[in-house]
Amino acid sequence: TGSGKTYTMFGPEDDTNNPQKMGIIPRSISYIFSEIEEDDEILEARIKVSFVEIYKEQLRDLLNPNKKAKKLAIRTGANGEMRISNVTETHVLTLLDVLQLIEIANSYRTKAETSMNHSSS
């Protein structure tokens, strides 16, 4: 509805590499990578990311927008861990890897105009 949720979470679409303008998600990812790098006790770290959209009560895999892909479902494991089955998970090594995947995922997001968007200035 044009209230700035996407901007707050991701930052401006046209200036994704500016650290001063990064949204909550890129800042959080940057923090995770810097903590891993600075912690001498961490010998190896493997990070996987996935991007999912909930639209009209349906889960959509934004890294595999293929309509014929397997249906996504939220599952609870035996240890209580929540997971999304059949979602694409991509290994990343750097913040730049994540930022590039965010751009790809954002290109597949549903962007529908609401009546509120239509009438707002």
Side-chain angles (χ1 to χ4, degrees):
T1 59
S3 62
K5 295 178 295 293
T6 300
Y7 183 88
T8 299
M9 297 308 291
F10 296 105
E13 287 184 39
D14 60 344
D15 199 4
T16 56
N17 294 322
N18 184 336
Q20 299 299 319
K21 294 183 179 180
M22 281 196 295
I24 292 170
I25 292 174
R27 284 177 192 264
S28 299
I29 301 297
S30 178
Y31 177 77
I32 290 168
F33 278 110
S34 65
E35 288 296 304
I36 290 170
E37 190 175 305
E38 292 173 14
D39 191 332
D40 294 335
E41 293 182 21
I42 298 176
L43 302 176
E44 181 180 15
R46 294 182 187 179
I47 299 173
K48 298 187 281 186
V49 298
S50 57
F51 292 91
V52 176
E53 172 182 64
I54 302 172
Y55 182 72
K56 294 186 178 182
E57 299 184 29
Q58 297 292 316
L59 294 171
R60 293 185 57 232
D61 185 342
L62 295 179
L63 295 180
N64 182 14
N66 184 346
K67 300 268 187 214
K68 295 179 183 179
K70 290 184 180 180
K71 186 174 180 179
L72 304 181
I74 299 173
R75 306 275 186 231
T76 304
N79 60 357
E81 177 183 282
M82 302 291 284
R83 299 204 37 94
I84 299 176
S85 62
N86 301 318
V87 71
T88 302
E89 294 180 328
T90 303
H91 288 271
V92 293
L93 300 174
T94 67
L95 173 62
L96 183 59
D97 291 344
V98 178
L99 294 176
Q100 289 171 338
L101 288 173
I102 287 173
E103 284 187 37
I104 291 168
N106 276 338
S107 72
Y108 292 117
R109 285 183 58 229
T110 303
K111 297 175 180 90
E113 182 180 273
T114 66
S115 57
M116 184 67 122
N117 291 130
H118 184 69
S119 63
S120 66
S121 55

